C-alpha cells in the first residue's frame, strides 16, 4: 500500500475501537434539507461550494428535471456539535444515466455556497484496497420546527461487521452486476419507533485518516417495511467512479485520498453502471427515509431527464438578379507594332515581379510554419512528460499518505490554502 504505518493484524481491532469513538468527530459532514425539514440523506462534501448526494433524495418534475421548488438546503457541521450553517442549494444535477427504477448511477451534484464562512476542501476516499475497515455513519439534527438553527445530534458510527456479499448479490441483480460500484451491509440503526434506518454514508479507514467514500442508495427488504422485516440489505453508491463526472458538472477539481500512490482512479466522465434486467427479491426503498417508512421509487417515466426539443426551420430566400447586357461598339484606334511590343514586354516584367513576390511570401510562410511546428512539438513533449508524472488526470487531484499525512489533526478536511501533499490539481 506504500505506507509502513498500517497496523499488524493483531492490533487492528483495538485500533479500530479507538477510531470508532474519536475519529469521526473531526470530520465535516452535511445533510440535505427539503422545504425546511431535515432528510435522512447525507451530503458527501467536496468543498465549501459543492457536494454529492443520492439522486433519489431529490424530487422530480413530470419532465424528469429536478423540482427546485422544494427549496433544498445543505446544513454543514464542523465536526459533531459545531455547525457551519445552513446554505441554499441553487443547482442539483443528477447523473445523466441515473435510473429511477433500479437506482443505478444514483448520484447527483449539488452547488451551494458556504464560501462566506471560510474556504476548504474535502477528500473523497477512492482506493478500496487502502482501507483496513469501513465506518457506517449517520448524521442527524434535532429539528426544533422553529426558525432557529437545528442542533446536531451525536454522530452514529459503527464498524463494518460480517461479509454478506453473497446474500446482497442474491437480493439485488444491480449489486451482482456492479460490485465495483456498490457496497452492501445488513447493518442498520434503530429509531425511537424501533424501525430500522440504514446508515447514510460509508467512510474508508486508513489509520489515522478517514475519508467519505460512499452514500446510501437504497435497500432491499425481505418483509413488509422498515418496521416489519426478516432481513434488510442496504446498498451504497461508491463515489470514486463518479469523481470525473462530478468535476465536469461543477467545473472544479475533486480531491481524493489514496494511500497507495501507484493507484490510478477512473477518469472517464461518461462512466455509468450496468443496468440488469432482473428484479430485486424483496421490497425496494430508498431516498429520504426520515419518516421511518418505505418511500416509493421515483416515477420511471424517464430514466434520465429529456430536454424539450424545438425544430427551427431556416428559410433561405434566393434572389435572382437579371443583368441586361448592352452591346456597344467602343471606338478603337490603330496600334503600331512597336507599341504592341512594348506592352508585351511590360506585361512580362509585371508577371515576373508578381511571381517573385509570391515566391517570397510562400518562403516566409514556410519558415513561420516550421518555427511554429517546432514550438508545438516541444510543448507537446513537455505536456507528455507532465502527464506521465500525473496519475490523477482531469478533474481529480490526489492526496497520498505515502508522502505525509494531512496536517489538520490527521483528518481529511483541509483549509483550501493549506498544501497537504498535493495542494492543487497537478501540482507537486
Amino acid at each position: 500500500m506504500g505506507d509502513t504505518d498500517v497496523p499488524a493484524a493483531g492490533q487492528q481491532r483495538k485500533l479500530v475501537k479507538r477510531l470508532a469513538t474519536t475519529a469521526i468527530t473531526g470530520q465535516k459532514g452535511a445533510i440535505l434539507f427539503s422545504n425546511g425539514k431535515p432528510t435522512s440523506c447525507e451530503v458527501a462534501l467536496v468543498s465549501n461550494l459543492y457536494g454529492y448526494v443520492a439522486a433519489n433524495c431529490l424530487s422530480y418534475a413530470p419532465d424528469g428535471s429536478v423540482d427546485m421548488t422544494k427549496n433544498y438546503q445543505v446544513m454543514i457541521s464542523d465536526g459533531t456539535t459545531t455547525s457551519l450553517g445552513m446554505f441554499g442549494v441553487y443547482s442539483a444535477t443528477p447523473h445523466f444515466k441515473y435510473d429511477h427504477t433500479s437506482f443505478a448511477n444514483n448520484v447527483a451534484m449539488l452547488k451551494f455556497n458556504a464560501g462566506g464562512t471560510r474556504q476548504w476542501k474535502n477528500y473523497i476516499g477512492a482506493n478500496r484496497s487502502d482501507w483496513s475497515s469501513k465506518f457506517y455513519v449517520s448524521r442527524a439534527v434535532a429539528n426544533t420546527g422553529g426558525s432557529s438553527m437545528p442542533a446536531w445530534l451525536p454522530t452514529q458510527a459503527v464498524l463494518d461487521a460480517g461479509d454478506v456479499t453473497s446474500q446482497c448479490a442474491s437480493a439485488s441483480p444491480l449489486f451482482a452486476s456492479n460490485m465495483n460500484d456498490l457496497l452492501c451491509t445488513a447493518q442498520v440503526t434503530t429509531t425511537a419507533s424501533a424501525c430500522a434506518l440504514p446508515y447514510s454514508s460509508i467512510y474508508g479507514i486508513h489509520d489515522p485518516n478517514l475519508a467519505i467514500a460512499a452514500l446510501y442508495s437504497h435497500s432491499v427488504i425481505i418483509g413488509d417495511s422498515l418496521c416489519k422485516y426478516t432481513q434488510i440489505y442496504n446498498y451504497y453508491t461508491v463515489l470514486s467512479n463518479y469523481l470525473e463526472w462530478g468535476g465536469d458538472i461543477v467545473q472544479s477539481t475533486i480531491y481524493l485520498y489514496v494511500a497507495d500512490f501507484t493507484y490510478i482512479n477512473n477518469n472517464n466522465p461518461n462512466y455509468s453502471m450496468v443496468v440488469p434486467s432482473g428484479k430485486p427479491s424483496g421490497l425496494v426503498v430508498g431516498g429520504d427515509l426520515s419518516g421511518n417508512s418505505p418511500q416509493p421509487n421515483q416515477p420511471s417515466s424517464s430514466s434520465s431527464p429529456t430536454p424539450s426539443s424545438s425544430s427551427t426551420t431556416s428559410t433561405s430566400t434566393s434572389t435572382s438578379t437579371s443583368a441586361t447586357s448592352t452591346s456597344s461598339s467602343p471606338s478603337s484606334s490603330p496600334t503600331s507594332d512597336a507599341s504592341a511590343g512594348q506592352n508585351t514586354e511590360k506585361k512580362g516584367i509585371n508577371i515576373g515581379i508578381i511571381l517573385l513576390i509570391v515566391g517570397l511570401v510562400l518562403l516566409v510562410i514556410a519558415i513561420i510554419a516550421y518555427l511554429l511546428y517546432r514550438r508545438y512539438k516541444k510543448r507537446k513533449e513537455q505536456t507528455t512528460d507532465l502527464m506521465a508524472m500525473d496519475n490523477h488526470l482531469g478533474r481529480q487531484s490526489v492526496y497520498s499518505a505515502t508522502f505525509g499525512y494531512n496536517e489538520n489533526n490527521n483528518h481529511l478536511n483541509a483549509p483550501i490554502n493549506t498544501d497537504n501533499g498535493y495542494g492543487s490539481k497537478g501540482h507537486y
Side-chain angles (χ1 to χ4, degrees):
M1 297 223 307
D3 185 12
T4 58
D5 291 336
V6 178
Q11 299 175 326
Q12 286 184 4
R13 182 166 296 277
K14 180 179 179 181
L15 175 64
V16 162
K17 284 183 178 179
R18 176 182 63 81
L19 286 172
T21 58
T22 61
I24 199 65
T25 62
Q27 299 293 316
K28 288 184 179 67
I31 61 173
L32 182 70
F33 276 62
S34 176
N35 284 336
K37 296 181 179 180
T39 70
S40 63
C41 302
E42 184 164 350
V43 177
L45 297 169
V46 172
S47 70
N48 55 300
L49 301 173
Y50 317 113
Y52 289 91
V53 74
N56 61 348
C57 288
L58 305 169
S59 296
Y60 295 83
D63 65 355
S65 62
V66 177
D67 182 6
M68 294 302 291
T69 65
K70 295 296 183 181
N71 188 28
Y72 295 111
Q73 295 172 296
V74 173
M75 183 174 174
I76 302 177
S77 74
D78 199 12
T80 299
T81 58
T82 305
S83 179
L84 289 181
M86 187 84 71
F87 306 95
V89 173
Y90 60 86
S91 173
T93 306
H95 191 271
F96 62 97
K97 285 293 183 75
Y98 165 54
D99 185 78
H100 296 266
T101 303
S102 67
F103 295 138
N105 309 299
N106 188 12
V107 291
M109 284 300 297
L110 303 179
K111 291 184 181 181
F112 47 89
N113 193 347
T117 306
R118 66 175 183 267
Q119 296 183 359
W120 42 267
K121 59 180 178 285
N122 199 47
Y123 290 83
I124 306 295
N127 186 8
R128 288 161 69 167
S129 64
D130 283 345
W131 309 340
S132 59
S133 190
K134 298 187 290 290
F135 256 152
Y136 294 90
V137 175
S138 280
R139 289 183 167 87
V141 297
N143 191 10
T144 60
S147 58
S148 61
M149 179 71 67
W152 286 100
L153 297 174
T155 302
Q156 297 189 53
V158 65
L159 287 164
D160 190 23
D163 185 358
V164 291
T165 301
S166 60
Q167 297 96 308
C168 290
S170 297
S172 170
L174 181 69
F175 178 76
S177 302
N178 300 277
M179 289 191 180
N180 290 328
D181 300 293
L182 294 166
L183 292 171
C184 179
T185 184
Q187 296 187 124
V188 293
T189 180
T190 56
T191 65
S193 61
C195 298
L197 193 64
Y199 288 91
S200 55
S201 63
I202 296 178
Y203 281 69
I205 300 175
H206 179 78
D207 180 53
N209 286 308
L210 304 176
I212 192 167
L215 291 175
Y216 171 71
S217 173
H218 62 283
S219 300
V220 174
I221 299 174
I222 311 302
D224 296 330
S225 70
L226 289 170
C227 303
K228 188 178 180 181
Y229 61 91
T230 303
Q231 187 62 60
I232 296 179
Y233 299 107
N234 305 310
Y235 300 90
Y236 296 78
T237 304
V238 178
L239 298 175
S240 59
N241 280 326
Y242 300 97
L243 300 185
E244 196 70 20
W245 166 79
D248 273 3
I249 292 297
V250 300
Q251 291 295 293
S252 181
T253 300
I254 305 292
Y255 293 87
L256 58 126
Y257 172 83
V258 297
D260 180 2
F261 188 64
T262 64
Y263 169 82
I264 299 176
N265 197 54
N266 172 43
N267 60 5
N268 178 10
N270 298 315
Y271 180 84
S272 62
M273 290 185 194
V274 175
V275 180
S277 57
K279 295 183 178 180
S281 60
L283 175 68
V284 179
V285 301
D288 177 20
L289 301 179
S290 57
N292 302 324
S293 61
Q295 302 297 306
N297 292 354
Q298 295 290 349
S300 57
S301 58
S302 63
S303 59
S304 60
T306 303
S308 60
S309 61
S310 59
S311 176
T312 304
T313 303
S314 176
T315 303
S316 176
T317 304
S318 176
T319 304
S320 176
T321 303
S322 176
T324 303
S325 60
T326 304
S327 180
S328 60
S329 299
S331 59
S332 59
S333 58
T335 306
S336 65
D337 292 340
S339 298
Q342 291 175 356
N343 290 336
T344 301
E345 183 179 356
K346 289 180 179 179
K347 289 180 180 179
I349 293 173
N350 292 337
I351 292 174
I353 293 173
I354 292 172
L355 291 176
L356 178 62
I357 293 173
V358 170
L360 290 173
V361 170
L362 291 175
L363 178 62
V364 171
I365 292 174
I367 293 172
I368 293 173
Y370 173 73
L371 294 175
L372 290 175
Y373 170 75
R374 289 190 59 185
R375 184 177 180 183
Y376 163 78
K377 187 175 180 181
K378 184 176 180 181
R379 287 192 174 183
K380 186 176 181 181
E381 290 172 353
Q382 292 174 343
T383 303
T384 302
D385 291 339
L386 288 174
M387 289 177 66
M389 296 171 61
D390 189 0
N391 64 1
H392 44 84
L393 302 177
R395 293 290 181 181
Q396 303 170 43
S397 184
V398 176
Y399 169 80
S400 173
T402 307
F403 294 93
Y405 286 113
N406 186 285
E407 298 175 359
N408 190 25
N409 297 323
N410 291 328
H411 295 138
L412 295 179
N413 303 125
I416 206 158
N417 59 352
T418 300
D419 187 2
N420 298 290
Y422 296 102
S424 61
K425 172 183 169 185
H427 175 259
Y428 292 84

